[in-house]
Amino acid sequence: MEKPRIATTSLAGCFGCHMSLLDIDARILDLAELVEFHKSPINDIKAFDQHCAVGLIEGGCCNEENVKVLREFRRNCDILVSVGDCAIMGGIPAMRNLVPLEECLQEAYLNGPTVFNPSKRIPNDPEIPLLLEKVYPCHEVVEIDYHLPGCPPPADTLWEALGALLKGNPIELSYELIKYD
Amino acid sequence: MSETLKETVGEVCRSVEFDRSRMIDVVREVQKRYGNVSGEAMELIARELKTHRVEVESVVSFYAFLSEMRQGKVVIRLCNDVIDRMHGADRVLAAFEEELGIRVGETTPDGEITLTTTACIGMSDQAPAALINDVVVNHLSSDLAREIVWELKQHGNPALLVKNLGDGNNASELVSAMVKNNIRHRGAVILSRAATGQGLETALAMTPAEVIRNVKTARLRGRGGAGFPTGMKWEFTRAGSAAERVIVCNADEGEPGTFKDRVILTECPDLMFEGMTIGAYAIGASLGIVYLRAEYAYLKRFLESVLDRRRSEGVLGRGICGLEGFDFDIRIQMGAGAYICGEETALLSSCEGVRGDPKNRPPFPAQKGYLGLPTSVNNVETLCCVARIMEHGPGWFTALGSEQSAGTKLLSISGDCKRSGVYELPLGIPLRELLKLAGAEDAQAIQVGGPSGQMVGPDAFDRTICYDDLSTGGSIMVFGPKRKILEVVDAFLEFFVEESCGYCTPCRVGNVLLKKAVAKLISGKGSQKDLAYLQSLAETVKKTSRCGLGQTSPNPVLSTLENFRSVYEEVLVAGEAGLQHDFELSRAVSQAARIAGRTSAHLHP
């Protein structure tokens, strides 16, 4: 039987959730037995060319490229999981939602106390994706099937949830795995 | 200024004998005199009543009729209930705004007039209506709104706006209101005859236990909406060894579309007070409180005069009807504009001079109510029924109405019908018959029991109005064939968002999310998944909220999902599955595109 494929991505995140995934330690070998990694920063596959069973999304959407990638994931994965607080509610990047976009850019590139920018230009290469007016949680852009909270969700949480998904079982996480205070 | 404020606050606090539990009276009076309760006033009140400023502030910030910001000498509160909107309240509001030169929520620069909107003021049968200070103006139009503003600018006295007095006691000197009773059908129990006092006499000839037994035999259930058996409530309140007990009349008729208590308070106050006195005798109470909603303040002087008369007649006060040892008196507690205070434990909080937060149950008010005393809270109409049951006997009462639901019910019908008003009809009447009486046979949907009730369509018109089928505290709203059901749902949710007390998260946050979810569907961007989400969210809010408000606020959603599923399915989006269609990339990047001076590279992914 063909192994189920999974894909992962980090949008407006810090890769902490991916680090947490790697934190499953030696179990990563079991995971590799169970699944085949498709598009993911872990193996550096850049584009979808096959359909995947599960897509893990880290981070929310802060720019147009995030939106594009997230929509690709939606089209190419049966199940999408928002992993971690940024994907679920915008997280730290969404703190900028309180400030108008123009002011954000000026503070970051011109006025901030630690800015060194002799050219006084705000980066504007055509290659740079345009920012969204605010940071969106993933479920406001595409339909998301599951949410795994945590900053990051602990490795055991990811392991249990992924295992259940791949086996087609309901995700039943014990209290310890979703307790954060 | 400061000195006079100090004197005024001192005087007001003295008038309630520095009783902290009368805080609502104190802040209402300060608000009335100054147009606000300033921070300085709060400090002074706190000092006089020996409490903390935060206690005063929490009250002032809670109630709609109180404010820390100074309001105009005249406050126009236009009712923005769904029925009023159907009758053109939006146009009236626009006219007020234009004529006053301010937006809703603002005060004219000269500090004279404030314009604001408010939830149902109990005038749905004469909508659109507004409160101008305590004065009710009804049947508004944009022309009338302009005239009102013009007049207020001349004399600044809302009382002079009263032109044509209403019928019945509305025309009496102490009420002097333009309000119409709109009594369309007088039933046997309440509206057919004036109070005789016979019920009280009969009751006093019995033992309290016998009175309670009679009320139980009559199978009287609460008329406010919840339908709890009155006799049982009284028995619970009487049980135990408390030295003092309290009976409270809930005249905080706030469920939108309900205005039957307004008519009782205007036309049958004696019957209500009589029932209350019987209740006091039955449970052994010496204190009675009528909690009168702020919107009905125009009835206060009249009700006080009725109480005075009853005292002089010996049917209130010490040794009632010559019965040695039966001392009972009633005071009127004004509300300050909060729907939640219709919920009995929130009402008691309000009577105690704090925010109208519901309390945890148990203990139930019957065990520990007003200031910790066993308390029975009964609806205005329930108490009227009690007086008649005592007068004519329980058998007479049970012969009226249906097998399971005894007696008559006052129904207030409004909306798209020819004859809106109050109907007293036997319980068990089929909805279809009611609609025929009101001239609403072509109705598309009927909201039974107000926003917290349920919406039913023509396939349910043969169902009956009673406790076991379509239960209502009195509100029947009619929506004609052209009304948009989802917009009605949206308006109801807006009401609940506004009126949630904010104590528990499911209600405070859940209602906002429900409204957002419905708005998404209305905008045509919702998918089948959004429908499922709406359903599950509504169920969560219902199951997890702390009090009746949040436990019923999802009802407009749940009952329309069940009875009007097609109106939701008609607006579902046709686009690609899996995407959220209310997210528009072009709009989301438009600011950045303007700042960068270039277009998006991913607009067509």
Side-chain angles (χ1 to χ4, degrees):
Chain A
M1 201 184 83
E2 209 182 351
K3 284 192 215 167
R5 275 178 292 274
I6 67 171
T8 76
T9 188
S10 178
L11 306 174
C14 67
F15 274 90
C17 295
H18 275 83
M19 290 298 134
S20 194
L21 181 63
L22 296 181
D23 253 355
I24 58 176
D25 299 331
R27 285 173 293 185
I28 195 122
L29 298 174
D30 300 337
L31 188 61
E33 286 294 307
L34 273 170
V35 303
E36 182 191 323
F37 272 87
H38 193 46
K39 176 177 159 70
S40 168
I42 293 173
N43 54 19
D44 216 20
I45 295 177
K46 303 284 192 208
F48 281 107
D49 54 15
Q50 282 170 305
H51 201 79
C52 295
V54 179
L56 303 180
I57 315 291
E58 170 188 339
C61 290
C62 78
N63 65 31
E64 55 181 339
E65 198 218 359
N66 295 155
V67 174
K68 186 185 170 204
V69 172
L70 183 56
R71 284 173 172 173
E72 278 172 12
F73 265 73
R74 183 68 274 180
R75 289 179 186 121
N76 288 286
C77 302
D78 291 334
I79 295 170
L80 275 196
V81 186
S82 271
V83 177
D85 291 346
C86 296
I88 291 171
M89 57 175 187
I92 299 281
M95 286 175 77
R96 80 157 159 98
N97 291 2
L98 303 170
V99 183
L101 182 58
E102 202 151 12
E103 276 179 44
C104 276
L105 290 168
Q106 283 167 356
E107 185 69 12
Y109 292 107
L110 305 176
N111 305 331
T114 58
V115 170
F116 176 73
N117 182 4
S119 74
K120 297 282 177 214
R121 274 201 307 244
I122 294 172
N124 191 13
D125 189 278
E127 286 293 308
I128 300 173
L130 290 175
L131 293 172
L132 308 183
E133 92 282 22
K134 61 171 189 176
V135 177
Y136 288 81
C138 293
H139 67 268
E140 289 187 7
V141 176
V142 302
E143 284 171 6
I144 297 289
D145 303 294
Y146 294 95
H147 298 85
L148 281 180
C151 185
D156 288 342
T157 307
L158 290 168
W159 173 251
E160 293 287 330
L162 203 51
L165 276 179
L166 292 168
K167 288 177 195 139
N169 295 337
I171 301 183
E172 280 165 10
L173 299 172
S174 65
Y175 177 66
E176 287 69 29
L177 293 181
I178 46 167
K179 170 180 167 290
Y180 296 100
D181 54 355
Chain B
M1 178 65 198
S2 206
E3 275 308 300
T4 47
L5 179 66
K6 197 172 171 187
E7 276 167 32
T8 310
V9 168
E11 177 197 326
V12 172
C13 291
R14 202 170 313 119
S15 74
V16 298
E17 292 164 358
F18 304 98
D19 181 351
R20 196 189 307 172
S21 71
R22 303 292 294 275
M23 175 87 82
I24 308 286
D25 297 334
V26 171
V27 286
R28 270 186 64 97
E29 187 59 29
V30 172
Q31 174 83 33
K32 193 173 157 194
R33 296 197 194 184
Y34 290 92
N36 68 336
V37 184
S38 62
E40 195 184 352
M42 291 185 209
E43 293 277 1
L44 291 166
I45 293 169
R47 210 170 305 155
E48 293 284 2
L49 299 184
K50 303 214 165 25
T51 179
H52 304 285
R53 173 177 158 160
V54 65
E55 296 287 335
V56 188
E57 195 159 356
S58 72
V59 167
V60 173
S61 64
F62 185 84
Y63 296 93
F65 282 48
L66 305 170
S67 65
E68 190 178 348
M69 294 284 289
R70 167 137 326 160
Q71 296 191 308
K73 288 186 190 125
V74 174
V75 181
I76 301 174
R77 292 188 169 88
L78 178 66
C79 178
N80 69 353
D81 179 57
V82 67
I83 301 293
D84 291 67
R85 287 190 209 174
M86 278 160 50
H87 288 93
D90 294 338
R91 287 195 301 277
V92 174
L93 182 64
F96 271 128
E97 285 185 329
E98 196 184 301
E99 208 63 24
L100 289 164
I102 54 172
R103 304 299 304 269
V104 63
E106 294 176 352
T107 302
T108 51
D110 58 5
E112 290 292 321
I113 304 176
T114 298
L115 176 64
T116 176
T117 55
T118 185
C120 185
I121 59 171
M123 302 287 161
S124 304
D125 54 337
Q126 37 215 294
L131 285 171
I132 301 187
N133 290 357
D134 289 347
V135 174
V136 179
V137 289
N138 48 4
H139 294 297
L140 291 173
S141 61
S142 45
D143 284 353
L144 204 49
R146 289 178 205 282
E147 243 171 78
I148 287 170
V149 172
W150 186 83
E151 265 200 57
L152 285 174
K153 280 182 179 167
Q154 305 299 312
H155 53 63
N157 182 0
L160 297 178
L161 295 170
V162 177
K163 308 288 189 216
N164 305 310
L165 293 173
D167 55 334
N169 285 333
N170 289 303
S172 72
E173 199 202 328
L174 289 170
V175 182
S176 292
M178 293 194 282
V179 179
K180 293 176 185 161
N181 284 329
N182 286 330
I183 300 174
R184 305 288 182 183
H185 192 277
R186 294 174 186 271
V189 179
I190 295 175
L191 296 175
S192 57
R193 285 165 309 110
T196 60
Q198 193 58 49
L200 179 59
E201 278 182 38
T202 312
L204 296 188
M206 300 178 183
T207 65
E210 280 170 340
V211 173
I212 293 177
R213 197 181 318 134
N214 270 284
V215 173
K216 283 171 105 173
T217 312
R219 289 190 273 114
L220 176 62
R221 293 172 66 175
R223 270 16 184 185
F228 193 82
T230 308
M232 208 189 282
K233 189 183 269 188
W234 284 1
E235 204 166 58
F236 291 152
T237 315
R238 190 173 176 79
S241 55
E244 213 180 319
R245 299 182 187 83
V246 184
I247 184 160
V248 175
C249 173
N250 184 346
D252 191 53
E253 179 175 58
E255 190 68 41
T258 319
F259 44 85
K260 48 105 188 166
D261 289 345
R262 181 196 80 208
V263 172
I264 294 179
L265 292 162
T266 311
E267 297 303 326
C268 325
D270 272 296
L271 197 60
M272 174 186 82
F273 291 137
E274 186 183 339
M276 220 174 147
T277 313
I278 295 168
Y281 177 70
I283 65 171
S286 56
L287 172 64
I289 300 173
V290 174
Y291 187 88
L292 185 65
R293 68 185 305 219
E295 291 81 352
Y296 291 169
Y298 74 97
L299 291 168
K300 183 164 184 259
R301 274 202 312 158
F302 169 67
L303 293 172
E304 298 275 15
S305 81
V306 175
L307 287 173
D308 279 342
R309 198 195 69 237
R310 291 184 70 84
R311 284 184 196 108
S312 66
E313 289 169 356
V315 288
L316 199 63
R318 300 190 75 81
I320 290 172
C321 293
L323 185 67
E324 186 79 13
F326 179 34
D327 304 334
F328 172 67
D329 212 329
I330 298 172
R331 76 170 169 88
I332 296 176
Q333 172 67 57
M334 291 306 301
Y339 166 73
I340 185 65
C341 289
E343 195 276 342
E344 62 174 4
T345 60
L347 182 149
L348 293 174
S349 297
S350 188
C351 287
E352 291 164 353
V354 296
R355 281 166 54 99
D357 285 328
K359 302 175 189 212
N360 285 331
R361 294 188 288 192
F364 290 90
Q367 304 156 287
K368 258 185 155 179
Y370 176 68
L371 300 177
L373 304 169
T375 304
S376 175
V377 183
N378 299 105
N379 177 262
V380 171
E381 188 183 344
T382 313
L383 293 168
C384 290
C385 291
V386 165
R388 292 290 197 216
I389 289 168
M390 286 300 134
E391 189 176 343
H392 299 288
W396 170 83
F397 189 78
T398 50
L400 303 162
S402 70
E403 192 75 17
Q404 298 302 318
S405 305
T408 61
K409 182 80 193 78
L410 263 62
L411 301 167
S412 32
I413 306 184
S414 62
D416 295 321
C417 58
K418 295 194 187 81
R419 291 172 291 278
S420 55
V422 173
Y423 295 73
E424 184 186 356
L425 296 163
L427 279 163
I429 186 172
L431 187 53
R432 189 179 302 284
E433 210 171 305
L434 183 63
L435 297 178
K436 204 170 155 197
L437 285 172
E441 291 99 326
D442 65 341
Q444 172 192 191
I446 309 292
Q447 183 75 22
V448 183
S452 69
Q454 50 182 321
M455 189 183 274
V456 296
D459 56 337
F461 286 0
D462 287 320
R463 292 175 63 185
T464 56
I465 305 282
C466 64
Y467 291 103
D468 306 304
D469 194 1
L470 295 171
S471 178
T472 173
S475 176
I476 306 275
M477 295 169 163
V478 182
F479 300 102
K482 291 196 177 134
R483 301 294 172 191
K484 296 204 167 95
I485 302 287
L486 291 184
E487 282 172 16
V488 175
V489 173
D490 183 63
F492 286 160
L493 290 172
E494 182 181 330
F495 167 74
F496 287 121
V497 166
E498 191 61 36
E499 295 297 336
S500 169
C501 83
Y503 191 107
C504 73
T505 313
C507 175
R508 184 185 64 244
V509 177
N511 283 311
V512 175
L513 294 178
L514 282 173
K515 185 169 170 3
K516 271 176 90 170
V518 168
K520 181 175 177 186
L521 288 160
I522 289 177
S523 72
K525 310 280 182 169
S527 67
Q528 202 56 255
K529 279 215 167 148
D530 288 301
L531 271 192
Y533 164 70
L534 184 64
Q535 174 98 32
S536 91
L537 177 64
E539 281 162 9
T540 304
V541 173
K542 195 177 174 68
K543 266 187 215 138
T544 53
S545 288
R546 182 165 176 260
C547 83
L549 196 154
Q551 286 158 12
T552 57
S553 64
N555 285 351
V557 169
L558 291 169
S559 69
T560 48
L561 275 173
E562 191 181 330
N563 301 328
F564 294 90
R565 186 117 196 143
S566 62
V567 303
Y568 286 93
E569 278 163 356
E570 277 161 23
V571 296
L572 292 186
V573 72
E576 185 188 336
L579 305 188
Q580 300 289 12
H581 295 275
D582 57 340
F583 175 81
E584 286 172 40
L585 183 56
S586 56
R587 202 191 54 216
V589 296
S590 62
Q591 277 188 38
R594 180 180 51 75
I595 296 165
R598 61 190 166 95
T599 53
S600 163
H602 300 292
L603 257 183
H604 304 287

